[in-house]
Amino acid sequence: MEVEYIGEHLFWGQAGHLFTALSFAAALIAAVAYFKAFYSGEAEKQSWIKLGRTAFLTHTAAVLGIITVLFIILFNHYFEFQYVWQHSNTDMPMRYILSCFWEGQEGSFLLWTFWNAILSVILMRSARNWEASTMAIVSLVQVFLASMLLGIYFAGYKIGSDPFILLREHPDFMNLPFVKSATYLSNLDGRGLNPLLQNYWMTIHPPTLFLGFSATLFPFAYALSGVWTGQYREWIKPALPWTFFGISILGTGILMGGAWAYEALSFGGFWAWDPVENASLVPWLTLVAGGHIMLINKNKGDSLVTAFFMVFITFILILYSTFLTRSGVLGETSVHAFTDLGMSGQLLLYLMFFIWLPSVLAIGSKIKKRYWFVFSVAFTVFSFIFFNKLLIAAFLLAAVIISLVSLNKRTTQKGEEEHGTSREFWMFVGSLVLLVSAFQITFSTSTPVINKMLSGGLSSFFKSVHEFWNADIFAKMAEAKLAAPADPIGHYNSWQLPFAIIVALLMAVGQFLSYGKTSVPKFFSRMALSFFLAVVTTIIAGLLLEISSSLYLLMMFSASLAVFANTHYWLRILKGKLPKAGASIAHVGFGLVLVGALISAGKKEFISKNNTAVNLGEDFPREENILLSINDTVPMGQYLVAYRGDSTQGIHIYYNIDYYTKNSDGGLQKEFRLSPLVQLNPRMGNVAEPATKHYLGRDIFTHVTYAPLEKKKSSGDGWKESNDFKMRVGDTVFTSNSLVILEGINKDIDRTQYAQLQANDIAVGAVLRVMSIDGKSREITPVYVIRNNTVFSIDATDQKNGVQAGFFHIDPSAETFSIRLREKEDPDKEFIILKAIIFPGINILWIGSILMAIGTMLAVFARIRRKSKLVINES
């Protein structure tokens, strides 16, 4: 008998499915129509373009429909839909609904599709003669993205993940008893939003970042169109504004992510070289390199193949980062990565297709495109069926190399070699440095992928060779794996610091160089003042900040030189004209980012040092953590601090800490209060969020590393309710006013001290060290007793510290001992453990970030204005 469910809103699910299907179908029709328009004669071309436009606008409207439906079901908490249940609940503030929208894979793919659609409508109106070829490629990308939301099965393979699937129809829930009830919605609440995402930065960072991802598609589309149409140089001009728009937006999105990490996460910094952070940084590096190579070609006609490669690899790296973060392969190495929803094969196909497509179009006339197409498809299918993905990757790599060689032969022009003092020569060098930097980050980030490949096809290959040759070296190679960096931040910093120094130096000198050849005396005369100021700045900074590392000093010099030189160029050479100053301002911003990063990260100071006799354990290093007892005032850095208790607001517990300085009379003067918080989330785990005091020259960053989260109720006998702990020898647990350490197990206790024991009892004692916050300690030994078939505990009490301990279970296999602790009711003995860091010069970094974004957007507007003037002149 079919259950008639009460309270479900099925209409919205049906509407969502309709819009999803329409989005996919319309994108497919648009792709076909634009491809037909490209290959049709003038008589038919316009009709195909008209169909393509109509279909794409329909696709855009359908995408807006999907978004509208998804927001409606999220706003109204329709928990019958699995996506709503998974990513929201009724306790969550409504201001975070936007974060719920793109927390899941489906929502983030939809956000990406939306930005592609909006930018593509702009492209349709501005591409003119490039419309058919560029929109064919863009529509094809939209087909792949739209398929990510289908959630259907085809030939036994699942295509996409449906954001409108009902909870009771989801594979994880369909067989659970509660969804068999007609009224299962009556008391149902959602799982909730990840607590890390309940921050205002996460309402603006993801859409900005995905807008940057989308922007990389359009230089790719123009470049691919240039190869496709044989207009190998003409694509550069229309692609340049899109390229620098992508540089600006993607860079801004990355920096917003750093701001979110700094304000919301508790690791104490703005960049941790997390794999997902790296996955967004690498395409930006190659896009910056590509943009500068395109400028070289625009002005001198050189480095065309490199420009093609940089633009292609940027888009491919966007797809690769999507595969990394959404296939589940980074699940153990990144806190940002999505779990696999069964789309890893689809994502890999998406990536491989857009590696293969440029290769097909770039092979040239030596191999007919139709034969190349048939061969490559056949090879790919054969590899999937009979071998593995490693063969496909090798084939695609060979195809890329062949296509670049072929493209190079068709685009190379004989001319003079670049002079060593020319601007284009050093711009090219800088772009190659960015490419090498991107390669290093990609290689280290891809360790899980490489290990997966090594344990797959390569491992089987080496095992087969070992069996044939019986050589031990091949057996070792079959078991080989790359080790992930033990210290990721140190690993990446050691590699990237020299690259940053080189790039900053090139940014400093680049604009003073001329295309073709530079007058060396003139160059040095223009650079002299900036060089002098950079040297003076480096000496002063080195002395004041006590910088001893030669690399750090060199970075300070190169970054300062970039700031002074580009400021000088703007004010003296460009006469302070803002519309032309985009590059200079962006370069100044980059230099300030490097200076701010060097000072704030390199000279950060932990002021929360534990100077008491209390050992807080290895999880709370003495040099970074301080214990604060309620209402006690203790020194911390240049301040005196006092913990004034906590307050609860909804799911947040705020820990109020007052900061004092001594006035001229020796009394205490309150400077400010910080209230770091813990966000309670029983399902996903509690999350500590920092509180920061901002000054012009420094920030004081604080977060709670330990605090008692639950207020125990009174048991009526002057003691709080008990807590149970499973402990191993050496473990430490906290009460509200002391530390309890399990020092050992005593199998030979002094029975004369325990009157309750009988002759035949089996008794074992747990030796506990109870240490108060003033460093004084006492030893107590609760006893675990077995009498006949009965087990009980003889409790031990430390009256001075107000701790009572019981010993009630032993697990020999896990080597754990169950200890029950109770505390006396004494609100004056509560404490927390705090970490506090001073970040000097952090605002230099944020100012630099803003200037980078402003400068790049000024460059975009300048190129749009030039393009508009050209269009007016042509008409």
Side-chain angles (χ1 to χ4, degrees), residues 276-328:
V276 175
E277 295 174 339
N278 297 348
S280 60
L281 175 63
V282 167
W284 182 79
L285 292 174
T286 55
L287 188 63
V288 171
H292 287 79
I293 293 292
M294 290 164 69
L295 288 175
I296 294 174
N297 183 267
K298 177 178 174 291
N299 289 282
K300 295 294 292 181
D302 299 327
S303 308
L304 186 58
V305 172
T306 309
F308 277 118
F309 176 75
M310 292 296 189
V311 172
F312 288 159
I313 200 66
T314 295
F315 184 68
I316 296 306
L317 285 168
I318 291 289
L319 302 186
Y320 179 63
S321 69
T322 304
F323 170 75
L324 275 182
T325 56
R326 297 164 194 281
S327 63

Side-chain angles (χ1 to χ4, degrees), residues 662-667:
K662 287 189 176 181
N663 56 30
S664 57
D665 298 329

